[in-house]
């Protein structure tokens, strides 16, 4: 069983940057496909970006392309989400998710992931 713990959320101004971290406990990330999701108030949780076991990005939400970058540090057993040029519409709780199953959909869904972190709040002011 893997436990995921996110950190790094906070308040940023529009145009600013934040870096989220997701550390895995109990298992190593190289055995998992990992993704970031987010959920804005009153909205459904949506997919943001996913990385496969090899560390390759397999899918990215169109609205964050060119602004958000997902990476992994295997030595730290941590994945990161670097968020640049933040916009107020990026305000949400961001969740890290992991699965050992292959990601087959072009846009991964919540059902594709078994393990979830507790989430970290990102608030972007205009």
């Amino acid at each position: 069983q893997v436990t995921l713990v996110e950190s790094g959320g906070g308040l940023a101004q529009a145009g600013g940057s934040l870096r989220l971290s997701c550390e895995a406990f109990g298992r190593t990330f190289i055995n998992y496909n990992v993704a970031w999701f987010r959920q804005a108030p009153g909205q459904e949780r949506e997919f943001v970006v996913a990385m496969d076991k090899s560390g390759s990005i397999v899918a990215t939400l169109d609205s964050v392309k060119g602004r958000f970058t997902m990476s992994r540090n295997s030595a730290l057993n941590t994945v990161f989400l670097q968020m640049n040029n933040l916009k107020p519409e990026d305000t949400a709780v961001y969740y890290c998710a992991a699965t050992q199953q292959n990601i087959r959909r072009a846009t991964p869904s919540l059902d594709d992931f078994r393990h979830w972190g507790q989430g970290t709040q990102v608030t972007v002011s205009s």
Side-chain angles (χ1 to χ4, degrees), residues 49-125:
V49 61
M51 173 184 288
D52 66 14
K53 298 172 186 178
S54 73
S56 298
I57 300 299
V58 295
T60 306
L61 179 67
D62 283 346
S63 64
V64 307
K65 286 181 179 177
R67 301 190 298 122
F68 290 12
T69 302
M70 184 176 182
S71 62
R72 183 177 74 189
N73 185 318
S74 297
L76 298 177
N77 212 24
T78 300
V79 295
F80 301 97
L81 182 64
Q82 178 66 44
M83 305 185 295
N84 297 328
N85 191 21
L86 283 163
K87 303 177 180 181
E89 52 264 42
D90 295 321
T91 295
V93 177
Y94 283 72
Y95 297 89
C96 177
T99 179
Q100 291 186 298
Q101 304 300 315
N102 290 332
I103 299 174
R104 302 187 184 279
R105 306 187 219 225
T107 302
S109 73
L110 279 67
D111 293 340
D112 294 331
F113 294 86
R114 178 179 179 185
H115 308 284
W116 291 84
Q118 81 288 351
T120 185
Q121 176 71 46
V122 170
T123 303
V124 184
S125 62

Side-chain angles (χ1 to χ4, degrees), residues 42-54:
Q43 298 187 20
E44 294 185 352
R45 195 170 300 187
E46 70 172 350
F47 166 77
V48 177
V49 61
M51 173 184 288
D52 66 14
K53 298 172 186 178
S54 73

